[in-house]
Amino acid sequence: MENVKGNIINSLPFDGLKKIVDLISFEGPILTHFTDSKGDNVFFYWVDYDNSLNRWLVFKVNNIDLYKYLHKKMSLKDLITKNNFVFTVDIDQNVVYQNITLVNIHDLVPIYIPEEFSIFKFEVPELYEKFFKNIPNIPEYYLERLRENAVYIKIDPKDGKQKGTTAVYADEAGDFLAYIAESFINYLGIDFKHSFINNYQDIKKLNRRTNKIKSRFRPRLVYTEFGSFSVAFAPDTINEESGGDAAVHSWIQNVTKKYKKEILETNFSSDQDVDSLIQKYTAIERKEILQPLIHVLNNEDYDTFVSDETLKEQKRIFPVSPIVESKLIDLPKGQITEAGVVKLARLEVFSKKRPNVLDLFDQKIQSSYETEYIRVDENTGYELNYPLRAKYEIIDKTHYLEEERLGIFAQGLDLAEAEQSFSEEFDFIYKTYTTLPDEQLTIDVIQIKNLLNWLVKNGS
Amino acid sequence: MINPKLKYKYALEALGLSIDCPVIDAIEKETYAYRYCFSDLNHPDTFLPQALKNPARRLTTEQLICDNYGLSLFTTAEEAKTRFGKFPERTRALLGYTHIAEGELFPTDGLCTPREDDGHFNLHEYAEVDLIQSFSIHSTL
């Protein structure tokens, strides 16, 4: 065995050592976690042996470092060397302690110090879930746990080199955080709906739960670093309960990583990636998730990077071209289908009197108007499950849109004006009919209400 | 209850274990198995269970548990290598293993505990079994 430089002492200064678990073992312990009578963590790490004794390095570990070590954020080397003093003890096979030595960390035999990246490479024993739950809520520990599920993003000012600074403007940092949070919160709601839609027969209940989830798990800022502006955010999965629902608990634990993978790591220059987003999310969902993100990515003053918790590997997320942006977030507009100028004999039937003159071969545009999205104004719109088809006519320079089943008849001096009128009428009847109980409605209106509920996928 | 066919039956009985040894779902089976070894397969520690090595690594006065009388094996050489690679460098040096031995186990060799997630299992040898006859060097670690 190696010679140890230090002061021999009578006993280790830890009373009532109680074994928690062998963290590393092979045909016997290699690294073992104990607690003493005060509840402090004490590690025994096998470092040497001879014919009759095994030598152990004994050192204290605080709860946060224990957590970091088990979660691969701190090496065994750092765990040991952050102590000013450690102990070595030689133990025989009857567990009799000998040669207990207090060692200044600077005098520790170099080969007893683990290698640089001596991270814990095994599964964290299940008992630690309970172990950590019993630790009082230390702010740093709370943050450490949230950082486990955090998304790390960095913005780098483009003029940094030129101006000799990597500091971002405060207002831009503020906007950046607001946009990213908006994108994430919207993703949270949308992914929750996608994941749990089958659990809800009543769409209103699903919407109410979704809103609660969005509010409860608003991301918290769990890490910041200045220079380049690096931040990490995560939903508060520690203080906020998931309602005792194991499936929701599991979902919220993974949703941040999912957001990172599905959204932040999208290559917006790749047709395949863009098509995948289009297939997975509806137009309104894409708009909610991507529009705030694109504000960030297309900011001309900084570049954006996504990273993991080590912050060592940073991946640039490139700006989104106008074509791709339009493809991803422009909401579908109504289209004129079956358009055509039809010459027909128009029979005036509106007047009570039968017309004297029959206008033969008068010009009339008779077409269909089809839309999958009803846009009312900037903040209000309806995404439809199925295209809504209306009759579109131009008569005497007036544009008409008519949907007989819903009883909507709109007109305008051009198509845009007719569309706007149509959308407002749709909005009015949707809001009126769907909020009233059936008892207050006629049979005809109940039919319209049912049709509206069937038709509307998302309303905002 | 101690299985009466085990090689270390008397030592296990002396421990006064209140548990089944080996575990009740340990079974006889025919399988290839892999074990860490030194370059010289005839090294006396090669097929010696940890409980009989000198000095045994122990940190508590709890009785040597049944597992210490089993031989650590893996179901594939890759799994054995992966587990070894997870140990700190100093541990690898102290264990001293440099190779992996491969051998075929038969029901007459003993009882195998269920395979763990990383491919590890223990063999509790029957009396008169000498595994050195059925193992050979497979690869370096």
Side-chain angles (χ1 to χ4, degrees), chain A residues 362-381:
Chain A
D362 196 3
Q363 272 200 346
K364 176 183 176 186
I365 294 178
Q366 188 185 48
S367 320
S368 280
Y369 167 87
E370 199 173 281
T371 185
E372 289 178 42
Y373 184 78
I374 307 278
R375 183 186 185 282
V376 184
D377 55 39
E378 272 195 11
N379 301 316
T380 315

Side-chain angles (χ1 to χ4, degrees), chain A residues 380-404:
Chain A
T380 315
Y382 298 89
E383 186 163 29
L384 308 179
N385 282 312
Y386 305 96
L388 179 65
R389 186 176 281 195
K391 192 164 80 180
Y392 173 49
E393 284 183 320
I394 307 172
I395 302 170
D396 293 337
K397 295 180 183 171
T398 301
H399 295 244
Y400 297 94
L401 283 171
E402 182 181 8
E403 215 296 335
E404 282 183 27

Side-chain angles (χ1 to χ4, degrees), chain A residues 25 27 29 47 50 93 95, chain B residues 50 55 57-58 60 83 90:
Chain A
S25 65
E27 296 188 330
V47 290
D50 63 14
Q93 57 186 6
V95 200
Chain B
Q50 177 62 23
R57 251 179 291 132
R58 295 177 64 193
T60 59
R83 169 86 175 261
R90 179 66 183 160

Side-chain angles (χ1 to χ4, degrees), chain A residues 195-207:
Chain A
S195 304
F196 294 98
I197 191 161
N198 293 333
N199 298 9
Y200 291 83
Q201 290 185 336
D202 182 346
I203 202 77
K204 281 183 185 168
K205 278 188 184 166
L206 175 63
N207 287 338

Side-chain angles (χ1 to χ4, degrees), chain A residues 91-126:
Chain A
I91 303 179
D92 69 15
Q93 57 186 6
N94 296 316
V95 200
V96 174
Y97 287 19
Q98 300 177 31
N99 308 322
I100 303 170
T101 311
L102 175 68
V103 184
N104 184 310
I105 195 68
H106 299 297
D107 294 332
L108 186 62
V109 179
I111 57 169
Y112 290 178
I113 299 174
E115 63 273 23
E116 196 64 42
F117 300 107
S118 45
I119 56 165
F120 184 65
K121 294 174 182 163
F122 299 87
E123 292 292 312
V124 179
E126 276 181 26

Side-chain angles (χ1 to χ4, degrees), chain A residues 75-105:
Chain A
S75 67
L76 182 60
K77 178 187 177 183
D78 290 342
L79 220 53
I80 293 168
T81 56
K82 79 175 287 183
N83 291 283
N84 293 326
F85 291 93
V86 293
F87 304 90
T88 59
V89 55
D90 298 338
I91 303 179
D92 69 15
Q93 57 186 6
N94 296 316
V95 200
V96 174
Y97 287 19
Q98 300 177 31
N99 308 322
I100 303 170
T101 311
L102 175 68
V103 184
N104 184 310
I105 195 68

Side-chain angles (χ1 to χ4, degrees), chain A residues 14 124 191 193 296 327 422:
Chain A
F14 312 115
V124 179
D191 196 64
K193 277 188 179 175
V296 169
K327 197 173 170 185
F422 186 92

